């Protein structure tokens, strides 16, 4: 192998190590988020509150769009990602009410 390909291989390995660490952060962060949303779901079930709260979601989406722009992340992607997570949370909350 040439020096150039050795350097490229080392860089690739370093990036992938960072990606693996960031994936772990994402998984632990999501798990922590679900711990709190499950607690919210139990509170809602105990107090006969609806599983979803569209006004809260609208505020979160607005905030997330702002954060995404600040972070140079595609805001449309960020919105889709949050929407995906919230729909899973609402599914959990609906289950807790049955
Ligand atoms: C967690 C809640 O329940 C739902 C899920 C949300 C979320 O995952 O962020 C936000 C609003 C609700 O539709 C909540 O009401 O705070």
């Amino acid at each position: 192998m040439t020096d150039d390909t050795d350097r490229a291989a080392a860089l690739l390995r370093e990036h992938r190590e960072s990606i693996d660490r960031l994936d772990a952060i994402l998984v632990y962060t999501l798990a922590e988020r679900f711990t709190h949303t499950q607690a919210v779901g139990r509170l809602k079930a105990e107090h006969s509150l609806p599983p979803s709260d569209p006004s809260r979601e609208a505020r979160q989406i607005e905030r997330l769009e702002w954060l995404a722009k600040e972070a140079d992340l595609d805001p449309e992607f960020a919105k889709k990602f949050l929407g995906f997570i919230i729909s899973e949370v609402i599914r959990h909350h609906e289950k807790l009410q049955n």
Side-chain angles (χ1 to χ4, degrees):
M1 271 208 278
T2 66
D3 282 357
D4 218 28
T5 50
D6 279 349
R7 261 195 301 275
L11 272 174
L12 181 65
R13 193 180 55 248
E14 281 172 27
H15 285 302
R16 285 181 172 170
E17 283 168 3
S18 295
I19 290 166
D20 287 347
R21 283 192 291 273
L22 290 163
D23 284 348
I25 289 170
L26 280 177
V27 167
Y28 277 93
T29 302
L30 270 178
E32 190 69 15
R33 190 184 198 282
F34 275 102
T35 300
H36 290 285
T37 57
Q38 281 297 88
V40 170
R42 283 191 296 274
L43 276 172
K44 285 179 175 177
E46 283 160 18
H47 297 276
S48 307
L49 293 167
S52 74
D53 182 341
S55 66
R56 161 89 175 139
E57 289 172 32
R59 290 195 302 278
Q60 285 169 285
I61 286 168
E62 198 182 323
R63 178 170 177 262
L64 199 88
E65 254 185 303
W66 184 86
L67 285 171
K69 284 180 196 153
E70 279 282 304
D72 208 15
L73 177 72
D74 178 1
E76 280 310 308
F77 168 76
K79 268 198 322 195
K80 263 194 252 169
F81 186 60
L82 185 68
F84 178 65
I85 294 168
I86 291 178
S87 61
E88 181 67 6
V89 170
I90 292 170
R91 204 177 60 80
H92 292 175
H93 288 187
E94 284 166 350
K95 256 187 164 166
L96 287 166
Q97 304 219 339
N98 297 325

